[in-house]
Amino acid sequence: MSPISVSKGKPSQQESFTQMADKDLESIGRHCQFEYCNQLDFLPFRCESCRGTFCLDHRTETTHKCPKAGEWARRRNAQNTSSSSFPTQKPTIYNSDQCAHLDCKTLINTMKDPGVRCPNCNRQYCLKHRLREEHECAKITPLGGRPGGAAGSNANETLRSMFAKVRTWGKDKSYAATQGLTPTPKPNSPAARTAQLNTLKKSAKGDTSVPADNRLYLHVVGTSDTQRVDPPKGDFYFDNRWKVGRVLDDAARRLHVENVNNRAEENERLRIYHVETGEFLEFSDTIGAGKVKSGHTIILLRGAGVMLGK
């Protein structure tokens, strides 16, 4: 009999034979079915292709000249193909809460990051930004106000005051918004407007990938989320093919104005006010397709949708 050094068990991915377990054998063993061998073996092997019984020396398909050579490999490949034909299902994310920090994309209220609500600004943050210093709490307007109505009343009064100022800026049709709250007269001649536009183009910042022919140069004033007298402001250029919503996102980012339009209530969302026409721009409109021209002024107002009933 041939000495046995192969371990028992299931066939490996590279073997066409399986060593037969003791319980499958009679007490006298099994004879090798290869016609030129017929050797008695107490621990024979079964070919996974032709299902024949063979000794150690003839266990492979090649040595016993298997009539169904490769059958086991074809069955294995068919099983692998069948199992791989089903696309791997991505894990479903049931939680869409996101850290309120502008630069953080961490999902909160999960097992990994439970989320922490700041008692000052009433927003939820991940563990990294839970401290007031980490999310610059002093510069943020409390979300929704505090219970009791006092904070909500103050927020509405602030909004009404800002809305009244903006209407004044629109009627004045000047660049007072970029110079402060006090309107200052400016020459309205074509030469003066050209000079102002050239100055604006030199100081404006924006995405360098925007083609020069498509650049729309604007004065931008942001909503003040603190008790500062002057709101943030700057000169920027945008692609005149962009939607108003994209312009708002880019302007808010450059002025460091908190933008929570994608997950906040209407009283916390930003809207763009066009000073020259005295109108609010719709998010879905193309910024350069309407009345907005280079040299004009736009203002980011928070909560204006409440006043407009939108």
Side-chain angles (χ1 to χ4, degrees):
M1 292 182 291
S2 301
I4 304 300
S5 60
V6 182
S7 61
K8 302 177 183 180
K10 297 180 180 180
S12 71
Q13 294 295 317
Q14 304 300 326
E15 295 176 344
S16 62
F17 52 85
T18 306
Q19 187 173 4
M20 300 175 67
D22 294 344
K23 64 181 180 179
D24 293 336
L25 305 176
E26 299 176 0
S27 58
I28 60 173
R30 297 284 179 90
H31 289 275
C32 177
Q33 292 181 338
F34 186 55
E35 58 180 337
Y36 299 111
C37 179
N38 200 31
Q39 177 179 241
L40 178 65
D41 199 326
F42 288 102
L43 294 175
F45 294 84
R46 180 176 62 242
C47 175
E48 292 299 321
S49 291
C50 66
R51 313 300 290 179
T53 302
F54 301 94
C55 66
L56 177 65
D57 293 335
H58 299 110
R59 68 189 187 279
T60 64
E61 292 179 346
T62 303
T63 54
H64 70 261
K65 300 179 181 179
C66 183
K68 296 184 179 180
E71 184 66 26
W72 71 279
R74 287 189 288 272
R75 289 199 305 268
R76 183 192 63 184
N77 291 339
Q79 292 176 353
N80 292 341
T81 303
S82 176
S83 61
S84 63
S85 62
F86 295 97
T88 303
Q89 186 176 5
K90 296 182 179 180
T92 303
I93 300 176
Y94 296 98
N95 178 24
S96 60
D97 292 338
Q98 185 175 308
C99 175
H101 192 281
L102 292 178
D103 299 326
C104 183
K105 304 298 182 183
T106 303
L107 290 179
I108 57 176
N109 296 326
T110 63
M111 294 294 292
K112 183 179 178 181
D113 204 322
V116 180
R117 182 177 295 278
C118 175
N120 256 28
C121 63
N122 205 27
R123 291 174 171 82
Q124 291 193 21
Y125 298 90
C126 65
L127 296 178
K128 179 181 178 181
H129 298 113
R130 69 187 187 279
L131 300 178
R132 297 178 183 178
E133 296 78 10
E134 293 295 333
H135 62 261
E136 298 182 337
C137 190
K139 299 181 180 180
I140 301 175
T141 303
L143 181 62
R146 299 183 181 276
S153 176
N154 291 337
N156 287 336
E157 290 301 323
T158 301
L159 178 60
R160 292 177 188 278
S161 175
M162 177 63 76
F163 196 76
K165 291 176 182 177
V166 170
R167 286 189 179 279
T168 302
W169 288 334
K171 292 178 181 179
D172 185 68
K173 294 187 181 297
S174 69
Y175 295 115
T178 61
Q179 302 296 323
L181 298 183
T182 304
T184 54
K186 287 183 177 291
N188 200 29
S189 64
R193 289 196 297 269
T194 301
Q196 292 169 2
L197 182 57
N198 290 335
T199 302
L200 172 60
K201 289 182 177 180
K202 292 180 181 179
S203 62
K205 299 179 181 179
D207 189 344
T208 55
S209 64
V210 177
D213 293 340
N214 294 334
R215 293 181 180 181
L216 183 66
Y217 296 86
L218 301 173
H219 301 287
V220 184
V221 181
T223 293
S224 178
D225 288 332
T226 66
Q227 298 302 318
R228 294 179 303 175
V229 175
D230 297 326
K233 55 193 174 184
D235 296 334
F236 305 105
Y237 62 81
F238 309 95
D239 195 320
N240 57 20
R241 299 167 295 180
W242 285 0
K243 299 296 184 182
V244 171
R246 182 173 179 181
V247 172
L248 185 148
D249 293 339
D250 191 65
R253 179 176 61 84
R254 295 183 184 279
L255 289 178
H256 303 288
V257 174
E258 185 181 27
N259 182 7
V260 291
N261 281 17
N262 62 331
R263 59 180 186 274
E265 298 296 331
E266 190 59 53
N267 63 344
E268 288 293 321
R269 292 177 181 170
L270 294 171
R271 293 290 303 270
I272 289 185
Y273 180 81
H274 184 215
V275 171
E276 279 67 21
T277 61
E279 299 174 354
F280 283 92
L281 305 181
E282 295 297 331
F283 296 124
S284 58
D285 290 347
T286 301
I287 189 69
K291 300 178 181 179
V292 182
K293 307 296 181 183
S294 287
H296 286 186
T297 300
I298 60 174
I299 304 172
L300 309 185
L301 281 181
R302 192 182 306 281
V306 176
M307 301 290 290
L308 298 173
K310 297 182 179 182

